[in-house]
Amino acid sequence: GAVVSQHPSWVICKSGTSVKIECRSLDFQATTMFWYRQFPKQSLMLMATSNEGSKATYEQGVEKDKFLINHASLTLSTLTVTSAHPEDSSFYICSASRGGTEAFFGQGTRLTVV
Amino acid sequence: AQSVTQLGSHVSVSEGALVLLRCNYSSSVPPYLFWYVQYPNQGLQLLLKYTSAATLVKGINGFETEFKKSETSFHLTKPSAHMSDAAEYFCAVSDPGDSSYKLIFGSGTRLLVRP
């Protein structure tokens, strides 16, 4: 099966600092990657869609300067939360597609901003 | 715009009982349909997907769904619940006309399995 790995699994950072989350497709080339945010006991909210080599497409209401997404290669996308604040604390999940109807999910990253 | 509605934020069943998790979609054309399971602090695992083939779809771990176009539904069922089935379940849809196949998720249903 297709494996997607997120790193780190959890991270604690100080308010005002930036934190980077990596999403890697380990055994396939991901033409499209997606980033989601999930609040406790809630559903997944799509933040942005990124295609390799092009700028990410952000969903309405998502601050692109706050959540920087880079999809530099067919196996790696990164989400950088800039100048993090406590309200950015959440569970962030990526998924990757190799062009078909199915997307494969990473294990998620729990971000806590203190 | 597509949307998907999961009925019931919590469902509780006894071990061995039938599991029925409800999901309806709203779309002008039949979308692609998915069910995912999420265990605490983990990502999502695909249980099954419907992409316009047979209306009855069997997935992993004994789960299945029947796509009913007339009811715009694709409820998730399992004949006999196991304790290990306790988790959060999400249905999702994507637009066949959208080449990115981005998913729109329902609000989720937490399945509790009583001994």
Side-chain angles (χ1 to χ4, degrees):
Chain A
V3 180
V4 176
S5 176
Q6 258 183 266
H7 179 80
S9 298
W10 58 270
V11 57
I12 301 173
C13 71
K14 291 185 177 181
S15 186
T17 63
S18 296
V19 61
K20 180 184 287 186
I21 302 170
E22 293 186 348
C23 179
R24 293 182 183 272
S25 55
L26 299 185
D27 51 3
F28 68 99
Q29 292 187 327
T31 53
T32 305
M33 286 188 170
F34 306 88
W35 287 95
Y36 296 86
R37 182 173 182 177
Q38 186 179 30
F39 291 101
K41 302 185 186 302
Q42 294 189 30
S43 187
L44 283 74
M45 180 191 76
L46 179 65
M47 299 174 67
T49 302
S50 73
N51 293 295
E52 185 265 339
S54 61
K55 290 184 177 180
T57 301
Y58 290 81
E59 295 297 304
Q60 191 172 9
V62 178
E63 300 176 60
K64 59 183 180 181
D65 295 330
K66 173 76 170 175
F67 300 99
L68 300 178
I69 292 172
N70 183 277
H71 191 163
S73 76
L74 283 171
T75 60
L76 174 64
S77 177
T78 60
L79 167 67
T80 301
V81 183
T82 62
S83 186
H85 290 282
E87 58 266 29
D88 299 324
S89 299
S90 193
F91 194 57
Y92 292 88
I93 305 176
C94 72
S95 70
S97 169
R98 52 189 174 190
T101 57
E102 184 175 348
F104 305 93
F105 285 80
Q107 72 271 36
T109 297
R110 182 159 301 283
L111 170 63
T112 301
V113 184
V114 297
Chain B
Q2 294 192 349
S3 66
V4 59
T5 302
Q6 286 185 247
L7 301 176
S9 59
H10 292 80
V11 169
S12 181
V13 300
S14 297
E15 190 174 20
L18 171 72
V19 175
L20 172 61
L21 305 180
R22 300 178 186 274
C23 186
N24 289 83
Y25 68 91
S26 173
S27 174
S28 57
V29 296
Y32 295 147
L33 309 166
F34 304 82
W35 274 100
Y36 288 88
V37 61
Q38 185 182 34
Y39 295 97
N41 293 311
Q42 293 188 28
L44 276 66
Q45 180 183 13
L46 180 68
L47 288 175
L48 51 81
K49 64 177 180 178
Y50 166 81
T51 55
S52 75
T55 57
L56 182 62
V57 180
K58 293 186 181 297
I60 63 171
N61 300 340
F63 286 95
E64 63 182 43
T65 187
E66 183 177 4
F67 170 58
K68 294 185 177 180
K69 183 178 179 180
S70 61
E71 299 177 8
T72 62
S73 71
F74 61 111
H75 306 323
L76 183 70
T77 61
K78 181 174 180 177
S80 176
H82 291 186
M83 296 298 292
S84 60
D85 294 327
E88 188 84 19
Y89 292 80
F90 294 96
C91 60
V93 299
S94 68
D95 181 355
D98 180 354
S99 59
S100 71
Y101 298 114
K102 67 179 181 182
L103 293 169
I104 306 300
F105 283 90
S107 53
T109 298
R110 181 166 298 276
L111 176 65
L112 307 171
V113 182
R114 304 185 302 270

